[in-house]
Amino acid sequence: MSSRPLAALIRRGVALTSLFALSALSPSWAQAETVPPVPPARPADLTEPPAPVVEAPRPPERPPELSGPAARSEATKPDATKTEDGPLTPPPGSPPPLPPARPAELSGEAALALTVSATDDTACRRRLERLGARFEPLPALSDGQCGAARPLKLTALGDGLAVTPPATLVCGAAEALARWAVEAQVLAERDLSRPLAGLTLGTTYLCRGQNHDPEAKLSEHAFANGIDVMAFSFSGRPDIAVASLPEGTPEAAFLAHARATACGFFRTVLGPGTDAAHGNHLHLDERERTAGHRLCQ
Ligand SMILES: [Zn+2]
């Protein structure tokens, strides 16, 4: 045991104790210059007073992990470093898959704008797949002024939500329906405490004028761009048919909320109360109007 390192350690100890103002220890240091074993051990402990005594070993270990690949330390010990690694990991992991999907999902309007402006609906079909919808392409429809170049047969929406009977729709309308259905599922849980199981549809594609008037302008149904929703079905409770229901019931609340939400996804939403022709269904379509006007009645 040489006296030089010991003296150095003691000097360090004294310096540290004065630094941290540990007045209780300093008198014993000043008097115990001749005590060899105890003082060398203490300075090491005294370097860590800033951290909690029990967790003293951890702070020195973390900086190396954080400066190295963050993803690796996250994978090996996600629970221990969760809060500290959390903010660091999203940049390397999420950007590739999420950015393409999120902007469209977050904004129904933006998604619709993209859908309508695209003559090629490949991107729309990809989004529809990503939403979990099940569909297959149909041959082009053409009947006088009616028709659709690239119609789809839609059989289910996300989460296995049934579409009964299968719908004949262009992709933009199918996508709007799929996005709205996600909201309707949330509303069903909230208003009825039951999961939505499916939609019962009336007309989708049909070559006819508005409100079945042959003299009227062609309906969006004539372009596979309109949907009539007749009823909602659920797991564990009876269907709810679209109708004017007595206010104050959970069923009426659900219908009102679902209908109001539809206005965020479709350019046209009509239903009970609009007129006699829409007393028993919600008519939803994607008709383009000047200046982006919507019809939500
Ligand atoms: Zn309709």
Side-chain angles (χ1 to χ4, degrees):
M1 199 179 290
S2 67
S3 59
R4 263 192 193 174
L6 180 60
L9 283 170
I10 290 168
R11 276 200 301 278
R12 244 179 88 199
V14 172
L16 282 166
T17 49
S18 60
L19 257 179
F20 295 113
L22 297 176
S23 54
L25 291 175
S26 52
S28 67
W29 280 97
Q31 294 163 4
E33 277 179 279
T34 52
V35 181
V38 186
R42 283 182 180 173
D45 292 339
L46 289 171
T47 59
E48 293 171 345
V53 180
V54 184
E55 296 178 354
R58 287 184 192 169
E61 287 171 14
R62 285 178 181 176
E65 284 176 23
L66 292 172
S67 60
R72 211 178 294 161
S73 67
E74 176 80 8
T76 48
K77 31 161 68 176
D79 51 337
T81 56
K82 191 165 42 186
T83 52
E84 290 187 40
D85 288 348
L88 295 175
T89 46
S94 52
L98 291 178
R102 279 186 176 176
E105 281 170 22
L106 288 174
S107 165
E109 245 177 300
L112 294 179
L114 283 172
T115 302
V116 169
S117 65
T119 49
D120 176 5
D121 68 355
T122 306
C124 173
R125 293 187 187 205
R126 235 179 261 138
R127 289 194 299 272
L128 198 54
E129 279 173 8
R130 221 178 286 147
L131 284 162
R134 291 168 64 183
F135 60 93
E136 57 192 65
L138 289 174
L141 297 164
S142 182
D143 179 6
Q145 290 189 321
C146 306
R150 295 168 62 83
L152 302 175
K153 181 183 178 184
L154 181 70
T155 55
L157 302 171
D159 287 338
L161 205 72
V163 173
T164 313
T168 299
L169 294 169
V170 293
C171 190
E175 183 185 6
L177 187 68
R179 292 185 186 282
W180 173 60
V182 172
E183 300 297 320
Q185 283 172 308
V186 174
L187 294 171
E189 292 284 359
R190 194 189 72 184
D191 293 339
L192 305 163
S193 303
R194 289 287 184 276
L196 189 62
L199 301 177
T200 304
L201 303 186
T203 301
T204 48
Y205 173 71
L206 182 65
C207 187
R208 66 163 168 78
Q210 289 181 337
N211 298 336
H212 300 271
D213 178 354
E215 302 300 314
K217 196 172 163 185
L218 282 174
S219 158
E220 288 303 296
H221 289 294
F223 308 108
N225 201 27
I227 306 158
D228 289 347
V229 178
M230 311 305 290
F232 299 84
S233 62
F234 307 85
S235 300
R237 62 148 293 139
D239 292 3
I240 297 179
V242 176
S244 292
L245 297 178
E247 282 185 30
T249 62
E251 290 78 8
F254 170 76
L255 281 186
H257 293 146
R259 180 173 174 174
T261 305
C263 295
F265 298 91
F266 292 92
R267 291 190 174 90
T268 310
V269 178
L270 308 172
T274 303
D275 56 35
H278 297 91
N280 68 345
H281 66 276
L282 293 178
H283 168 91
L284 314 171
D285 77 44
E286 285 287 63
R287 179 185 292 276
E288 288 185 70
R289 294 185 178 83
T290 51
H293 272 296
R294 290 171 177 250
L295 187 60
C296 188
Q297 296 182 337

